[in-house]
Amino acid sequence: MLKWHLWKRQTFTFFHIILTTECNLQCTYCFGEAMEDVDPDFPDSEVNYHLPRTISYNVDTLDRFCRQDPDCVLTFYGGEPLLQTNKIKSIVDNVHAKHFLIQTNGLFLDRLETEYTNCFHTILVSLDGDEATTDFFRGKGTFQKVISNLKLIRNNGFKGEIIARMTVMEPTDIYKQVKWLLNNTEFPFSSVHWQLNAGFWKNDLQRRKFDQWTTESYNPEIRRLVKFWVDHMEHHGVVLRLYPFLGIAQSLLKGETQSLLRCGGGWTNYAIQTDGHIVPCPTMWGMKNDYLGHINSANPLKLKQVFVSDPCNNCDVLNICGGRCLYANVTKRWDKEAYAQVCDTVRNLIKAISEEVPRIKSLIREQKMSPNSFEFMKYNGCEIIP
Ligand code: SF4
Ligand code: SF4
């Protein structure tokens, strides 16, 4: 078993800045699920559902907090962070951070002045695939507006990484949609990440076909996508930045023998609520029992670290998986059987990539590509394990 208490942070500390609790969209898997989730109470955690709508702390307080870690990285997050463009500008102007990133639905990217947009290291933009798929989950017209904004910011000189961040669930065909994001002529993405909508809501399983979808579609299509990914390396000498594959393959190639939660949640990647309290990850907003301090008084380099527990700490693939999701592990919103269904997708993914490692290694040996092609900024908002 991992010696959690001995773990040293070997990277920057990341903080999601929850700028607002509001969003301008009502996506199916977020707003829609919340409407249907009639039992929002967590058995072991008192939840503050009444956080301030936008940040109630002073930006100077955030600066004092961040200055204690000269390498801290801030990711603007929400709700939708671009509903608070003035706060973004104020933080960029006044807070000392190594990098600024943003996770956004992309609809208001045209509202932020170019000088601010261009200082983001990375923009993670929510898109679920092609126009029909994205608009099905996120609302009609979303796709076209986001793509037009992305073209605009590229034309205005944004040089950083743009990651298409998909939320996937039935009936999405993962192979088809990821390939579309990579190859479309409107705005081909060089980086794609996806996360399963699984284990975040208590009452959604009965009305879903998660098991059938993962067995008949998601798992086989992931195997197909892994093969395509390595074929692409072989034919073009290029490692496509498909984050779930990148993270796992890098660990296997380096022979890493242990992994903590790959999103960094609770041990190197935290979230600051609108009221200044620090929680292990943005999804854990309001969960008072999990508060780790307040930016008024906490030291970012000495924050408590929290780790996944049962069933992950006895799992045979923990060293690669890392535990998938602290929120899912703590809240156990899905029962044991459903949790195991999600773990089956993790095992399938690990197996598919493991089977291709010999081929990847021989491509590196033949100098068709460099091992450096698998490098990426860890904890940038891509959780790696979907
Ligand atoms: S596969 Fe499942 S049980 Fe195993 S470490 Fe990952 S999330 Fe935990
Ligand atoms: S994977 Fe889970 S713990 Fe990690 S950031 Fe996402 S919701 Fe939080």
Side-chain angles (χ1 to χ4, degrees):
M1 206 174 110
L2 298 182
K3 292 190 170 125
W4 303 122
H5 60 287
L6 293 179
W7 191 263
K8 297 256 188 312
R9 296 184 183 98
Q10 291 167 344
T11 177
F12 315 137
T13 314
F14 289 70
F15 293 93
H16 290 88
I17 308 291
I18 302 179
L19 283 178
T20 176
T21 54
E22 292 187 330
C23 186
N24 52 324
L25 283 180
Q26 297 185 349
C27 306
T28 317
Y29 28 62
C30 187
F31 180 84
E33 301 263 27
M35 291 296 101
E36 307 235 2
D37 210 285
V38 293
D39 179 16
D41 294 322
F42 299 106
D44 299 319
S45 186
E46 198 187 332
V47 180
N48 177 6
Y49 289 105
H50 304 290
L51 292 178
R53 191 181 55 80
T54 178
I55 59 174
S56 62
Y57 53 82
N58 198 301
V59 168
D60 292 342
T61 310
L62 180 63
D63 183 48
R64 271 198 306 278
F65 172 76
C66 290
R67 275 180 187 275
Q68 298 173 85
D69 176 3
D71 287 334
C72 85
V73 177
L74 301 184
T75 300
F76 295 114
Y77 197 89
E80 171 47 48
L82 286 169
L83 288 170
Q84 293 291 324
T85 48
N86 285 339
K87 284 284 179 341
I88 291 176
K89 290 193 278 186
S90 172
I91 291 172
V92 168
D93 287 341
N94 297 298
V95 177
H96 187 263
K98 183 100 176 168
H99 298 297
F100 293 101
L101 288 72
I102 187 167
Q103 281 205 35
T104 173
N105 62 35
L107 284 170
F108 293 158
L109 272 168
D110 55 343
R111 296 190 182 183
L112 191 62
E113 286 88 333
T114 300
E115 62 184 290
Y116 290 96
T117 310
N118 285 355
C119 71
F120 292 139
H121 177 280
T122 300
I123 297 176
L124 296 110
V125 64
S126 304
L127 280 174
D128 300 326
D130 59 19
E131 181 166 4
T133 306
T134 299
D135 285 5
F136 173 76
F137 288 116
R138 296 178 181 272
K140 197 164 168 38
T142 303
F143 174 89
Q144 283 300 342
K145 178 63 183 164
V146 174
I147 294 294
S148 133
N149 281 347
L150 292 176
K151 287 178 181 168
L152 177 79
I153 64 166
R154 276 293 190 220
N155 285 339
N156 287 343
F158 178 69
K159 299 268 190 305
E161 185 174 11
I162 296 178
I163 305 174
R165 196 189 144 81
M166 310 165 72
T167 302
V168 298
M169 62 183 289
E170 57 276 28
T172 295
D173 178 332
I174 189 74
Y175 179 82
K176 181 176 159 198
Q177 295 305 329
V178 170
K179 280 194 71 178
W180 190 91
L181 286 167
L182 294 170
N183 297 332
N184 76 88
T185 50
E186 289 199 62
F187 193 90
F189 287 85
S190 53
S191 303
V192 180
H193 178 60
W194 61 91
Q195 192 180 34
L196 289 172
N197 175 21
F200 292 105
W201 304 98
K202 189 166 182 181
N203 296 321
D204 61 336
L205 199 60
Q206 301 83 334
R207 60 177 177 269
R208 294 193 36 194
K209 295 186 173 160
F210 183 79
D211 191 21
Q212 184 185 354
W213 172 69
T214 53
T215 309
E216 294 174 7
S217 172
Y218 180 76
N219 285 341
E221 294 304 303
I222 283 289
R223 294 196 290 273
R224 200 169 152 214
L225 195 57
V226 170
K227 183 167 181 316
F228 156 77
W229 186 58
V230 185
D231 285 348
H232 192 277
M233 289 177 208
E234 193 166 335
H235 299 141
H236 304 281
V238 170
V239 180
L240 294 167
R241 296 177 75 79
L242 303 185
Y243 270 88
F245 299 172
L246 208 53
I248 294 173
Q250 191 199 55
S251 289
L252 293 170
L253 290 169
K254 286 185 172 173
E256 289 172 357
T257 52
Q258 62 181 46
S259 169
L260 298 189
L261 205 58
R262 287 180 177 274
C263 63
W267 70 275
T268 197
N269 195 350
Y270 299 87
I272 299 170
Q273 299 185 160
T274 49
D275 64 357
H277 278 107
I278 301 161
V279 281
C281 114
T283 317
M284 295 170 83
W285 63 266
M287 293 170 61
K288 288 183 173 181
N289 296 348
D290 298 281
Y291 285 6
L292 300 171
H294 191 282
I295 58 168
N296 275 332
S297 52
N299 181 333
L301 296 172
K302 293 185 180 161
L303 287 173
K304 185 182 161 193
Q305 295 178 310
V306 284
F307 303 106
V308 289
S309 59
D310 182 63
C312 299
N313 50 10
N314 291 312
C315 174
D316 59 323
V317 295
L318 176 65
N319 63 328
I320 293 294
C321 171
R324 182 175 175 266
C325 175
L326 182 66
Y327 173 82
N329 183 272
V330 168
T331 61
K332 304 228 170 26
R333 305 223 82 194
W334 279 12
D335 64 25
K336 223 171 156 183
E337 289 71 32
Y339 202 104
Q341 285 168 21
V342 182
C343 296
D344 283 346
T345 69
V346 178
R347 288 170 189 283
N348 176 68
L349 173 65
I350 293 171
K351 184 166 183 286
I353 297 173
S354 303
E355 286 172 357
E356 289 287 358
V357 163
R359 189 153 67 112
I360 297 173
K361 281 184 173 169
S362 62
L363 292 171
I364 292 172
R365 263 197 312 275
E366 291 160 20
Q367 298 189 337
K368 292 204 170 155
M369 69 214 181
S370 151
N372 295 339
S373 315
F374 293 84
E375 294 298 331
F376 61 95
M377 179 199 251
K378 287 186 175 175
Y379 321 115
N380 62 356
C382 297
E383 297 92 343
I384 303 299
I385 302 294

